[in-house]
Each structure stands twice: as C-alpha cells, then as structure tokens.
C-alpha cells in the first residue's frame, strides 16, 4: 500500500529526503532534462511561481521510500493544470502511475481547474520512426484514455522548434469526461504553457505559429485508440478515496464506554451520534479506522506521574463507581496523599470531572483517533476530523478537568510539529488552557483561543489577554476573551483577529479545537451563534488554505449540535477550496 503526500518545501528532513529521491528519479527517468532544472526543484517548492505554481506529490512505501512522483503546475489565472512530470522509480510496478495521476486530477479539481494538460511522446510513424518506441508510446496514450484524456489533433503543437527535434503530443483531460475544449481558451492555455514552461526555448514566432494553428472550435481531439469496453482498467495502489476536498473522518468508536449517567452531566455519548447523523450523508467525508499509537506520544506532552496515576486509579475504580476530587493538597505538593481517590485533587482543576473505570480507556482512544487524523493530513489529506469524546482542551501537562483527561488536540499538534510549525486555534466557548500550558515555552506552535472571559467562564484562572508565553514561546499564545453576550458578528471580528495572527505566523499546519458550545442555548455557554455563523466561521478558517486537522471539543445542545457541525464543515470546505484555487 502506498501513501501519496504533497511536499511543500524542504525545510524538514523528511521532505528534504523525499525531494532528493525525486530528483534522483528525475535524472534516471528523464536523462535529457538539464541538470539546472532538476537542481531547481527545491526552489520551485519554496518560492513558487504564482503564474505556474509547482505542486509535488510523492508516492512512498510504508518505510518512507519514494516509489514515484508527480510534478504538477497550477495556472490559477487560466484555471488549468499542467502535468510536468510523472514517473515511478525504475523497477517499480503495481499501479503507482495510476495512483499518482488520480491524485493529480483530484488536486486539479480541488483548486478549481477545468482541465489537466500534459505531453506524451508520439505514436505515429510520421513523428516516431522506431516501432518499439511507437508501441510504448501508444500504450501510454491508451493508459491515459482510461481517465478520459485524449491527444489534441489538427494543430502544429507537435511541430519541433528545430528540425529533428522532439515533437510531443498535447493531451487534454477535461476532468469531467464530456467537456469540450473551446478554441479561445485552448489558445490562451497553449500560449501559457509554451511561455511559462518553455519560455527559454521557444521563440515568440514559434509560439505565435502554434497558437494560430488552433482553428477548430471546439478543439478536435484524436479518436480513442480503443473502444470504451476495451480500454484498460486503471489499477490503484492506494486505498480509500483521498480527494483533497473530502475530509478524513476518524471516529472514537470507544467513546460510549465513558458514560456518566448522573443528572446534569452533559458530556454524553449522544453528542457523537448527533454530529454523525448530519455530516455523513453529505458525502464530504471518508471514514478512516483509528490506529494504535504508543504512549510516547502522550508522554511527550503530559507528565509521566500524572499519566501513570490516571491509568492506575481508573483501572482500580469499581465499574459502578466514579471518583470525584474533593481534597486539593496545594499546601504540600511534594507529598501527595497515598489514597488514590483522595489524590485525585492533586491532579485535577475542578470538582465535577470524575475518574471511573472507562475514563482512561476512552480518553486514550481519543488520542489514537487524533493521531490517526494527523497522519492523514501528513499523508496528503487536505483536512481531517477527529470526532472524539471525551474532549481534551482543558487537560494540562499534569492535570485533568472540564470533562478532559488528555490534551488530545495538543498531542496531535505536537506530532505534526515534527514536520513543520503548527497553529492551534481553539474556538470552544471555554478557554483552551491545555494547549496554553503545554506549549507555553515553545515558539514552534502558536496557540490561540477565543473564549468567554475568565471573569465569568470556566476555567476562571486562565485565558487572560496578558498571557502570551515565556522564553522561546514569548508572543506565541494569543487569548481573545469575549463578554457574556456575543452574537455572530462580534464573534467574526474576534475570529478575524485570530486569523490575522495565524497568517503572520505562517504555519505549515492548522489544528482547530472545535467547540460547538458557542451556539445559542448551549447549556454550558451564554453566546448566541446560529448555523449561518458556524458556516461563516468555517469559511473564514478554511480561507487560510492550510492543511487542517479538526479535533472535536465541546458542544452540548444536541438538538442543534449536528446541524452546526455540518454547516461549519460546509464553510470550511468552501473556504479551503477558494484558497487553493486562488493562492496568494
């Protein structure tokens, strides 16, 4: 099984190694390419040409070895993509080319392209005298026909710039299989390809000649080499649908083992079902099974004694009993109580978050979901959603509370940070003290929280605007506390300020701690956001155009919970699609 992921730059060693392997494949499979062009690939990614933006995908084995690549160019002004190179490493088989081309087509559609264009070597005696090469070229054309792509006919595109030079065919893939290619658009596209891709090689007179040769309207395509029934099937080497505008959905299937049935405990299993019933029928999501991750991910952000205690006390608690903290030994923190039940207050910030037999198991499963979703983002998914409970954004390095036991989103953000800088945006009604505490002294993770002022809102002791981080983290924490009464317009202004700070930080990844308790009539909040507001907020966040992981936090009014989640993701997808189609 392959993992196909996009490479954005060579800042981090994993990506640098992938680009170096890609360059080796380029040299091996395309020896005629000037070395200067191969060497320029890292710069193409770091400083992309806005008129012909380079987008690189690599197909990697589970061990990380690059087995193939595709380099696509995006012309946003003309809404087309140009497939510059696509190749498997020498000796590779198993549908790598098909999987990569599928990914290119998906990306092209996601950024608003109406077509993909690319070149293939000719298969006619007039343009290729070697019968073996003609046969190989014909097989390649038949392969692309399976996707609905066909060479353009009746133009001078295949005329060499110099006598005896190469003469490729230009292939048109309409993405939607029945879309004709209009002449005027084709002329603009061809001029752009020749100028932007071959500007140092094609004289202006040659470009004018080729463009003028497009006389048919719509442009004529070559007849298929095979009937539809005889066209080769495309073997895919990847698993589930990974279209960029679909969202990888990882659900904590173990969440319902954690069910506090006491009156007034609103963090209930029905929350997950309420959301799923609304979002799954949309077709925007594809389910991904959660994978198991080692405890090292948890211990990277949480105190080992705290994790050990949490696991021990939960396993020791009888199935029908919950332990609530009621003694808080702040006067002698060096000597915690020996009794596990009494010691709960040593690690807790409130009196209403219980420990019971399944709290640890459910929280630990939530961590696995979030890490799985994070790896989906690292693997090329533009967005992933960890639909989990219990929530996590109140669990600090060595404390639980607010229904939270592990800093689920913070653990995922820490995992992503090994691959680039991360911005964590908390849009829950309550302050995200988990990530503030965990990343307080770090500058590689920007933490932002929009929440009810701690003068009246839980957790009361944190979330003030003057809390900005220390040391390497100085200036990397932004709190935006809001008053007790907030409508959609007021919230949107605060969100705009947070997003401006994210853009200044320019992160590689975005993690959204999604609280839906900002909704009107939520039992834990006092604000009045409606479905339209959630859609607008999602669109604003999506407009950042960042690979995004969403982790579920609060939201307790089950009558509107699912609708608000659906509208949020509707806006998030629309905003992301617009941002990708129109990059800065």
């Amino acid at each position: 099984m392959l993992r196909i992921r996009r490479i954005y730059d060579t800042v981090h060693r994993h990506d640098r190694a992938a680009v170096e392997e890609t360059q080796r494949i380029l040299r091996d499979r395309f020896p005629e390419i000037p070395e200067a062009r191969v060497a320029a690939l890292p710069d193409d990614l770091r400083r992309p040409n806005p008129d012909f933006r380079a987008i690189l995908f690599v197909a990697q084995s589970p061990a990380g070895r690059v087995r193939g690549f595709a380099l696509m160019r995006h012309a946003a002004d003309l809404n087309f993509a140009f497939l510059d190179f696509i190749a498997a490493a020498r000796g590779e088989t198993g549908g790598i080319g098909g999987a990569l081309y599928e990914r290119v087509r998906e990306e092209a559609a996601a950024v608003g392209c109406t077509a993909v264009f690319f070149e293939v070597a000719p298969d006619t005696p007039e343009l290729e005298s070697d019968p073996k090469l003609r046969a190989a070229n014909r097989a390649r054309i038949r392969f692309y026909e399976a996707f609905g792509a066909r060479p353009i006919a009746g133009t001078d595109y295949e005329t060499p710039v110099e006598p005896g030079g190469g003469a490729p065919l230009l292939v048109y893939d309409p993405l939607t299989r029945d879309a004709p290619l209009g002449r005027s658009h084709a002329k603009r596209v061809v001029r752009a390809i020749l100028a932007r891709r071959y500007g140092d090689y094609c004289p202006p007179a040659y470009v004018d000649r080729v463009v003028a040769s497009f006389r048919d309207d719509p442009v004529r395509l070559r007849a298929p080499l095979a009937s539809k029934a005889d066209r080769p099937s495309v073997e895919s080497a990847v698993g589930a649908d990974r279209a960029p505008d679909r969202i990888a959905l990882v659900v904590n299937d173990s969440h319902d083992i954690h069910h506090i049935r006491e009156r007034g405990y609103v963090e209930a299993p029905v929350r997950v079902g309420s959301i799923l019933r609304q979002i799954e029928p949309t077709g925007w999501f594809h389910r991904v099974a959660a994978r198991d991750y080692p405890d090292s991910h948890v211990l990277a952000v949480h105190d080992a004694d705290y994790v050990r205690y949490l696991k021990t006390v939960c396993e020791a608690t009888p199935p029908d009993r919950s332990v609530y903290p009621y003694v808080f030994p702040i006067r002698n923190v060096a000597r915690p109580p020996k009794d596990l039940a009494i010691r709960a207050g040593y690690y807790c910030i409130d009196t209403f978050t219980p420990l019971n037999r399944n709290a640890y198991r459910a929280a630990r499963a939530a961590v696995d979901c979030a890490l799985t979703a994070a790896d989906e983002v690292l693997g090329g998914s533009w967005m992933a959603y960890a639909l989990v409970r219990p929530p996590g954004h109140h669990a600090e390095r060595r404390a639980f509370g607010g229904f939270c036991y592990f800093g689920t989103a913070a653990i995922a953000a820490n995992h992503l940070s090994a691959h680039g800088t991360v911005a964590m945006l908390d849009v829950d009604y309550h302050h995200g003290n988990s990530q503030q505490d965990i990343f307080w002294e770090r500058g590689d993770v920007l933490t932002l929280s929009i929440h009810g002022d701690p003068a009246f809102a839980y957790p009361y002791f944190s979330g003030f605007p003057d809390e900005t981080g220390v040391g390497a983290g100085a200036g990397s924490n932004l709190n935006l506390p809001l008053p007790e009464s907030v409508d959609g317009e007021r919230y949107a202004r605060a969100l705009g300020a947070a997003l401006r700070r994210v853009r200044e930080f320019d992160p590689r990844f975005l993690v959204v701690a999604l609280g839906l308790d900002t909704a009107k009539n939520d039992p834990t909040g006092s604000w009045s956001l409606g479905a339209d507001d959630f859609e607008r907020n999602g669109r604003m966040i999506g407009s950042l155009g960042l690979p995004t992981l969403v982790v579920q936090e609060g939201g307790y009014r089950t009558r509107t919970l699912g609708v608000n989640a659906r509208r949020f993701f509707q806006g998030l997808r629309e905003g992301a699609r617009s941002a990708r189609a129109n990059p800065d």
Side-chain angles (χ1 to χ4, degrees), residues 193-525:
I193 292 172
L194 296 178
R196 300 174 191 182
R197 173 64 171 80
Y198 302 107
D200 57 348
Y201 177 67
C202 294
Y206 173 84
V207 174
D208 291 341
R209 172 189 168 187
V210 172
V211 171
S213 71
F214 281 72
R215 301 181 182 89
D216 296 324
D217 194 12
V219 172
R220 182 159 51 93
L221 305 180
R222 251 179 46 168
L225 293 173
S227 67
K228 188 172 183 179
D230 293 333
R231 289 177 194 169
S233 60
V234 179
E235 177 189 0
S236 177
V238 293
D241 181 0
R242 300 291 295 276
D245 61 348
R246 297 194 77 204
I247 302 168
L249 173 63
V250 189
V251 181
N252 182 4
D253 292 329
S254 301
H255 76 91
D256 53 357
I257 64 174
H258 178 60
H259 190 184
I260 309 300
R261 302 178 186 275
E262 297 170 14
R263 185 179 180 86
Y265 198 88
V266 296
E267 207 289 285
V270 67
R271 299 175 58 233
V272 171
S274 299
I275 293 174
L276 283 176
R277 282 192 293 274
Q278 284 289 329
I279 67 171
E280 285 201 300
T282 63
W284 303 336
F285 298 82
H286 67 93
R287 289 285 286 264
V288 176
R291 299 181 285 274
D292 295 331
Y293 288 79
D295 287 342
S296 57
H297 290 277
V298 178
L299 296 172
V301 302
H302 284 292
D303 177 76
D305 288 339
Y306 164 70
V307 175
R308 190 179 306 112
Y309 169 75
L310 195 65
K311 183 176 183 180
T312 301
V313 71
C314 288
E315 290 177 346
T317 303
D320 58 347
R321 184 185 170 205
S322 291
V323 173
Y324 286 89
Y326 67 96
V327 174
F328 298 87
I330 61 173
R331 296 191 179 190
N332 195 347
V333 296
R335 302 184 66 179
K338 294 183 179 180
D339 184 279
L340 292 180
I342 295 175
R343 199 188 304 174
Y346 186 73
Y347 291 111
C348 192
I349 62 175
D350 59 42
T351 60
F352 60 80
T353 302
L355 297 175
N356 56 43
R357 174 65 63 88
N358 290 321
Y360 177 90
R361 290 172 54 198
R364 188 62 181 78
V367 168
D368 283 341
C369 289
L371 289 169
T372 300
D375 274 340
E376 289 297 304
V377 172
L378 290 174
S381 291
W382 192 246
M383 289 180 282
Y385 178 29
L387 177 52
V388 299
R389 57 170 297 275
H393 76 140
H394 295 309
E396 299 183 350
R397 179 172 292 276
R398 61 183 312 275
F400 67 97
F403 310 141
C404 305
Y405 304 94
F406 289 131
T408 310
I411 292 170
N414 184 68
H415 179 53
L416 290 172
S417 72
H419 302 271
T421 53
V422 180
M424 288 193 71
L425 174 63
D426 194 312
V427 294
D428 193 277
Y429 176 83
H430 306 92
H431 176 236
N433 55 297
S434 167
Q435 50 266 26
Q436 174 172 303
D437 176 67
I438 288 169
F439 298 112
W440 185 246
E441 298 183 32
R442 286 175 54 175
D444 60 329
V445 179
L446 173 70
T447 51
L448 311 96
S449 180
I450 306 170
H451 51 267
D453 194 298
F456 63 83
Y458 185 91
Y460 306 110
F461 60 80
S462 68
F464 300 94
D466 60 351
E467 298 167 350
T468 59
V470 298
S476 292
N477 184 77
L478 175 64
N479 288 323
L480 295 169
L482 300 179
E484 226 168 333
S485 296
V486 170
D487 61 11
E489 292 297 327
R490 179 67 181 86
Y491 191 91
R493 292 198 296 273
L495 179 59
L499 299 183
R500 285 192 292 274
R501 180 67 183 93
V502 173
R503 289 188 172 93
E504 291 172 1
F505 184 67
D506 192 22
R508 177 80 172 275
F509 305 103
L510 176 69
V511 176
V512 178
L514 178 61
L516 299 169
D517 45 4
T518 54
K520 184 177 181 179
N521 296 324
D522 187 278
T524 68

